[in-house]
Amino acid sequence: MIETERWLELLEEKGGRITGPRKAIVELMVKADHALSPVDVFDQARSKYPKMGLVTVYRTLEILSELGLVERVHQQDGCHMYLRAANGHEHLLICSRCGKAAYFSGDDLSVLIDRISSESGFVIQSHWLQLQGICQKCQPKKFQTPIE
Amino acid sequence: MIETERWLELLEEKGGRITGPRKAIVELMVKADHALSPVDVFDQARSKYPKMGLVTVYRTLEILSELGLVERVHQQDGCHMYLRAANGHEHLLICSRCGKAAYFSGDDLSVLIDRISSESGFVIQSHWLQLQGICQKCQPKKFQTPIE
DNA sequence: AATGATAATGAAAAACATTTTCAATAAGGA
DNA sequence: TCCTTATTGAAAATGTTTTTCATTATCATT
Ligand SMILES: [Mn+2]
Ligand SMILES: [Mn+2]
Ligand SMILES: [Zn+2]
Ligand SMILES: [Zn+2]
């Protein structure tokens, strides 16, 4: 995948070296469709790079997060999970059964934000929006909307 | 404050005993206008009840949270913080300088949610919305909107 | 291709955060 | 007041993240 190359190039531009452990972690994070904990990353990455240390996972997630390639996701259960970062202004939609994560965009909260701002006196800088639900695969048949 | 009484009554109805440590924690959580970490609660509660143990703080926050009186708040820094729970459908507005937290209501995301739901195939169950900004007290003079 | 400076790694230890265990204490019904 | 037992806090156990440090591997320079 070309996205992997892009991440590694950015890493390199920043002055970092491209190493086996880093490649394994990047490859995995680029294609992850679930938020992963450091231990999840560790377990998965070891199949590509068996010597992988958990410390390296922490360090690499930190770097990828500084580069804006990965971001922390909060969930009711684990809340130090990492996922490929949003492209521009996107928010997350997460399946509460299987954890599948998808970004969406096109929210317009400006009216709400203006109102809250003037009611509260706060200068609002950013917002955090996250939807929880059940993805198509996890829905029992009876709840599935027929495609028409 | 009568709200403190209400919390203690609910605790009692649930079969719990009213104790010194619990009173100290409830009093403090009822009036907190910042999300507090277990250690914050511990430190503050010790001034009312010096023998307080940190374990009791963890246990009491757990109980208050089961009773729906307190809820966990996620922030970029500490994300195991606790705050008085919302009344009905409210969301948080948090000052990124001093941590002051305020609830607001009246968000209507139904149009957005319907759209995302049909685009993604997810059945959406709930949403998290949180605004970050600078509260009035923390705003430099030049940014303050004059009251007219 | 070989060399060398040094960034990156992983094992181990340390630091933190949270949960469990357990004997002592205290709440509150009888 | 007495008795049952929920609650407490100290200490230990567990789990997570960070630090330390000697070794290894990357890659710019020969
Ligand atoms: Mn948005
Ligand atoms: Mn969180
Ligand atoms: Zn799912
Ligand atoms: Zn403030």
Side-chain angles (χ1 to χ4, degrees):
Chain A
M1 203 195 287
I2 198 71
E3 183 68 356
T4 303
E5 312 295 306
R6 195 175 70 86
W7 287 29
L8 292 173
E9 261 165 43
L10 287 168
L11 213 189
E12 205 165 26
E13 278 167 26
K14 197 217 172 198
R17 291 179 182 177
I18 294 177
T19 68
R22 287 178 176 178
K23 267 194 235 169
I25 294 170
V26 165
E27 269 164 29
L28 168 180
M29 289 306 297
V30 159
K31 58 165 181 267
D33 64 347
H34 280 55
L36 300 172
S37 71
V39 173
D40 294 336
V41 174
F42 178 57
D43 290 337
Q44 292 193 30
R46 268 192 297 185
S47 64
K48 281 257 177 180
Y49 194 94
K51 288 189 304 187
M52 176 75 66
L54 180 55
V55 193
T56 297
V57 172
Y58 276 97
R59 291 192 277 228
T60 304
L61 289 174
E62 173 72 28
I63 291 169
L64 295 178
S65 147
E66 280 164 14
L67 288 170
L69 296 171
V70 133
E71 65 189 16
R72 240 181 79 195
V73 169
H74 300 252
Q75 294 184 82
Q76 48 293 2
D77 50 323
C79 89
H80 292 176
M81 318 279 280
Y82 289 84
L83 183 70
R84 179 213 109 206
N87 287 134
H89 191 127
E90 291 181 322
H91 295 287
L92 273 177
L93 171 54
I94 297 180
C95 177
S96 44
R97 189 146 327 153
C98 72
K100 185 187 165 75
Y103 284 104
F104 66 88
S105 57
D107 66 304
D108 181 3
L109 301 181
S110 56
V111 173
L112 174 67
I113 287 176
D114 287 348
R115 202 194 84 224
I116 302 306
S117 177
S118 70
E119 282 177 14
S120 66
F122 276 62
V123 171
I124 294 173
Q125 300 169 316
S126 63
H127 61 269
W128 180 40
L129 173 62
Q130 191 168 300
L131 306 183
Q132 281 82 230
I134 305 288
C135 78
Q136 218 146 24
K137 278 199 178 163
C138 290
Q139 285 166 40
K141 297 288 179 300
K142 55 177 173 172
F143 288 154
Q144 276 184 36
T145 312
I147 300 159
E148 44 203 74
Chain B
M1 205 193 288
I2 198 70
E3 183 68 356
T4 303
E5 313 293 307
R6 193 174 74 85
W7 288 29
L8 293 174
E9 263 165 41
L10 287 168
L11 213 190
E12 206 166 24
E13 278 166 25
K14 197 218 172 195
R17 291 181 182 176
I18 294 177
T19 67
R22 287 178 176 177
K23 267 194 236 169
I25 294 171
V26 165
E27 268 164 31
L28 170 177
M29 290 307 297
V30 160
K31 59 167 182 264
D33 66 345
H34 280 56
L36 301 173
S37 71
V39 173
D40 294 337
V41 173
F42 178 57
D43 289 337
Q44 291 193 30
R46 269 193 297 186
S47 64
K48 281 258 176 179
Y49 194 93
K51 287 190 305 186
M52 177 75 67
L54 180 55
V55 193
T56 297
V57 172
Y58 276 98
R59 290 192 278 228
T60 304
L61 289 173
E62 173 72 28
I63 291 168
L64 294 178
S65 148
E66 281 164 13
L67 288 170
L69 296 171
V70 134
E71 64 189 19
R72 240 181 79 196
V73 170
H74 301 251
Q75 294 184 83
Q76 49 290 6
D77 51 323
C79 87
H80 291 177
M81 318 279 279
Y82 289 84
L83 183 69
R84 179 211 108 205
N87 287 134
H89 191 125
E90 291 182 324
H91 295 287
L92 274 177
L93 171 55
I94 298 182
C95 177
S96 45
R97 185 142 334 149
C98 72
K100 183 187 167 76
Y103 283 104
F104 66 89
S105 57
D107 63 306
D108 181 4
L109 302 181
S110 56
V111 172
L112 173 68
I113 287 177
D114 288 347
R115 202 193 84 224
I116 302 306
S117 177
S118 70
E119 283 176 13
S120 65
F122 275 62
V123 171
I124 293 172
Q125 299 170 315
S126 63
H127 60 271
W128 285 355
L129 172 62
Q130 191 168 299
L131 308 183
Q132 281 81 232
I134 304 288
C135 78
Q136 219 147 24
K137 277 198 180 163
C138 290
Q139 284 167 41
K141 296 289 179 297
K142 54 179 174 168
F143 286 154
Q144 275 184 39
T145 313
I147 299 161
E148 43 203 75

